[in-house]
Each structure stands twice: as C-alpha cells, then as structure tokens.
C-alpha cells in the first residue's frame, strides 16, 4: 500500500502543466529572445559578417597588385607546409601556456588571500581596488615601463651588481622570451584574479570551518573544497588570458626586441605587404585554434550550469 501511495504521489507530481503554465513559459521564452536579440544582432553584424568575409578572402588568389576572386586552397596548403608558420604557432602556444600557468597560480593565491584571509569587507574592496590601479594607465605604458627596469643597465641589474649577487648584467632579462612572459603576466593577471575572486566569494565559509573541524589540513581543504568550487572562475579567467595572449603581437614584438614572433605579428606583416588572402587564411586557422581551446575549457567546466547555481 505504501508503494502504491508513493507511486500515486509521484504521478501527481508529474502531472502535465496547465494551459496557463504553458502560456507563461512561452511568454518567458519570447521575453528572453527579445532581451538577447540586440546582442545577437550586434554579434552577427560586427563579428559574424566580417568573419564570413575573411573566410571568403582566404580562398582567393592574389598578385602583387590585386586580389583575384577564386576558390583555391593554395593559401592553406602553403600555410601548413611552411616550417616558419609552424614555429610561429608553436611560439604563440608556448607563450599562452606559460602565461596561463603563471597567471593561474598568482590569480588563485591572490583571490584566496582576499576572500579567506581578509576578514573585513572594506579591506577586501580596498585591496581589490589596489589590484586594479595599474589598469588606470595604458597597456603600452605599463609594458614599456619594464624596459628601464630589466635593461642591461636597468634598476634590477644594478641592484644585483650592487648586492654582489652578479658580477655583470644579466642579458636574458630584456629582449627575450622571459621579458615577453613578464610583460604578459603583468598585463593579464587581473583577468585571472577577478573571475576567481567572484567564484571564491560565493563559497560558504562554514564549509572550510567544517573541514578544519574534521581534521583536514589547509592543502586538503583547498584541493577538495576551494578548488572545485572555484572552477568556474578558473575557466573564465583561463579563457580571458589565453585569448588575449593568442591575439596579441605588440608585446612579443616590443619585449623580445624582434628576436621572437607570433602568428598575429606575421599576419600583420602580410597585411602590410597587401597579401590579404594568406593573412585571411592564417586568421581563420588562428580563430579555429582559439575556438577549440575555449571549447575544451568549456567542456571541462560547464560554466553556464555553475553560474546558475
């Protein structure tokens, strides 16, 4: 009899929605479409349409003076056959991976300190604003400021020599891959801090207290509670950092002194030489690679589901 009652209750819970409920649902869906419609229109106009033009141009032929409408795969074939292009893609991926890892470690620890070690909300806001102070100046100024600091006769080398740590200036500090990574980390760490901070701020502090009462150490608490509950912020921050690094060329060109290059810098050179079809093909491949990287991150973390909690 109990099983029968339970089944009956389940049937009552699964009763079909009424006409009024269906009408409310349809009205809510229409309202959602009206709200997202302007954004969709803007994306189609300013992103979708230009990408279709770039895709079409990537199949065109070209000469020194003109673009010839055609449908050929030569631009993509030359792209995949070029060892130089392959090294450029590997260089861009290398910078993206290293900068992502460094900014993740820094961003996670900064956010963890602000959320769980700074008790006062006023102090949290104040310290968080301190993190944003560098963004009040131009990215170019913040990047170029590293040149007198890391240069051969810069502040850092003079401090090392004055302290007797080194007998001569360190050459690798400036105009090298190291300088590129330092500049990227300086520019993009905040893009990792903000989303992780927002995710951690939503964690119930009683969970950490319960874990400590159960005998869990700090490392285990972070690994089993804080880290899983912060994965949305980590995913969003990773998307920001990776896409920004992959799409940049100015930092690589300036901070490496021309000794390193990226796909985007090569693309800019092709545009300057009026080689639009090869540049368009390179841009399409870059968009595909970045899209696959973002899709991989979103496959690991269902951001929409996590934000809906």
């Amino acid at each position: 009899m109990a099983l029968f009652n339970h089944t009956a209750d389940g049937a009552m819970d699964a009763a079909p929605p009424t006409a009024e409920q269906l009408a409310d649902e349809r009205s809510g869906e229409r309202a959602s479409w009206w709200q997202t419609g302007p954004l969709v229109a803007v994306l189609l106009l300013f992103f979708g349409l230009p990408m279709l033009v770039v895709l079409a141009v990537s199949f065109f032929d070209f000469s020194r003076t003109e673009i010839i409408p055609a449908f050929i795969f030569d631009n993509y074939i030359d792209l995949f056959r070029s060892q130089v292009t392959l090294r450029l893609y590997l260089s861009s991926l290398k910078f993206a991976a290293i900068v992502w890892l460094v900014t993740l470690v820094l961003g996670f620890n900064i956010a963890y300190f602000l959320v769980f070690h700074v008790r006062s909300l006023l102090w949290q806001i104040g310290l968080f604003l301190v993190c944003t102070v560098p963004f009040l100046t131009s990215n170019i100024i913040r990047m170029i400021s590293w040149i007198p600091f890391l240069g051969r006769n810069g502040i850092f080398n003079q401090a090392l020599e004055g302290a007797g740590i080194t007998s001569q200036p360190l050459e690798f500090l400036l105009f090298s891959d190291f300088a590129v990574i330092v500049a990227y980390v300086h520019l993009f760490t905040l893009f990792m801090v903000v989303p992780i901070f927002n995710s951690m701020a939503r964690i119930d502090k009683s969970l950490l207290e319960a874990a400590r009462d159960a005998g869990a150490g700090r490392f285990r608490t972070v690994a089993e509670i804080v880290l899983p509950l912060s994965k949305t912020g980590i995913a969003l921050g990773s998307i920001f950092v990776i896409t920004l690094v992959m799409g940049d060329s100015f930092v690589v060109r300036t901070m490496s002194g021309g000794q390193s290059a990226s796909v985007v810098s090569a693309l800019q050179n092709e545009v300057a030489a009026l080689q639009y079809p090869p540049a368009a093909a390179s841009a399409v491949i870059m968009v595909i690679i970045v899209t696959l990287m973002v899709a991989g991150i979103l496959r690991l973390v269902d951001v929409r589901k996590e934000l809906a909690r």
Side-chain angles (χ1 to χ4, degrees):
M1 179 63 69
L3 181 60
F4 177 78
N5 291 337
H6 178 73
T7 305
D9 293 341
M12 290 177 63
D13 293 338
T18 63
E20 184 178 354
Q21 290 174 335
L22 290 175
D24 291 339
E25 290 181 2
R26 286 194 293 267
S27 176
E29 291 178 359
R30 285 194 297 267
S32 299
W33 279 109
W34 279 110
Q35 291 173 348
T36 58
L39 178 60
V40 172
V42 169
L43 288 176
L44 290 177
L45 181 61
F46 294 103
F47 179 76
L49 184 60
M51 280 306 304
L52 289 177
V53 173
V54 171
L55 180 62
V57 173
S58 69
F59 293 102
F60 286 3
D61 198 359
F62 71 101
S63 65
R64 289 187 176 183
T65 58
E66 62 179 341
I67 299 176
I68 305 170
F71 188 79
I72 59 175
F73 293 93
D74 293 2
N75 299 316
Y76 290 97
I77 293 173
D78 294 340
L79 193 66
F80 288 112
R81 285 180 176 176
S82 173
Q83 294 296 323
V84 175
T85 303
L86 179 60
R87 287 197 294 269
L88 290 176
Y89 276 102
L90 291 177
S91 176
S92 297
L93 291 172
K94 176 190 70 176
F95 285 134
I98 295 175
V99 174
W100 168 78
L101 181 60
V102 176
T103 55
L104 176 59
V105 173
L106 291 176
F108 187 89
N109 283 280
I110 292 172
Y112 183 85
F113 172 78
L114 291 176
V115 174
F116 298 110
H117 288 277
V118 180
R119 300 297 181 182
S120 171
L121 179 61
L122 184 61
W123 274 103
Q124 283 185 357
I125 296 174
L127 292 175
F128 185 80
L129 291 176
V130 169
C131 295
T132 64
V133 166
F135 277 73
L136 299 178
T137 60
S138 169
N139 284 357
I140 298 175
I141 295 176
R142 286 188 289 136
M143 180 192 62
I144 295 178
S145 65
W146 283 102
I147 294 178
F149 183 79
L150 298 176
R152 178 180 176 84
N153 297 317
I155 299 173
F156 189 71
N157 268 320
Q158 290 182 357
L160 291 179
E161 292 180 26
I165 299 176
T166 59
S167 58
Q168 57 184 1
L170 299 178
E171 300 288 347
F172 73 90
L173 294 179
L174 187 61
F175 300 140
S176 61
D177 289 353
F178 174 81
V180 174
I181 292 170
V182 168
Y184 274 141
V185 170
H186 180 208
L187 293 175
F188 300 145
T189 296
L190 188 64
F191 289 95
M192 188 70 78
V193 173
V194 173
I196 296 179
F197 177 86
N198 289 334
S199 294
M200 286 186 180
R202 300 167 58 189
I203 299 176
D204 189 354
K205 305 299 189 298
S206 62
L207 293 176
L208 277 67
E209 296 176 0
R212 286 193 290 266
D213 292 341
R218 177 173 297 181
F219 179 80
R220 186 176 179 184
T221 301
V222 172
E224 298 185 6
I225 297 178
V226 178
L227 189 61
L229 294 178
S230 304
K231 59 184 180 181
T232 302
I234 294 174
L236 292 175
S238 299
I239 291 173
F240 291 149
V241 171
I242 289 173
T243 53
L244 288 170
V245 173
M246 292 294 290
D248 176 80
S249 64
F250 187 76
V251 173
V252 175
R253 185 170 61 251
T254 303
M255 298 303 293
S256 70
Q259 299 183 41
S260 298
S262 66
V263 177
V264 180
S265 60
L267 189 152
Q268 290 178 336
N269 293 334
E270 290 174 337
V271 171
L274 303 181
Q275 298 177 355
Y276 295 118
S282 182
V284 170
I285 297 300
M286 174 61 75
V287 170
I288 292 174
I289 291 175
V290 174
T291 302
L292 290 175
M293 295 171 71
V294 173
I297 295 173
L298 295 178
R299 187 172 181 84
L300 293 174
V301 180
D302 191 345
V303 175
R304 184 170 56 181
K305 180 179 178 181
E306 294 293 333
L307 291 177
R309 289 183 177 180

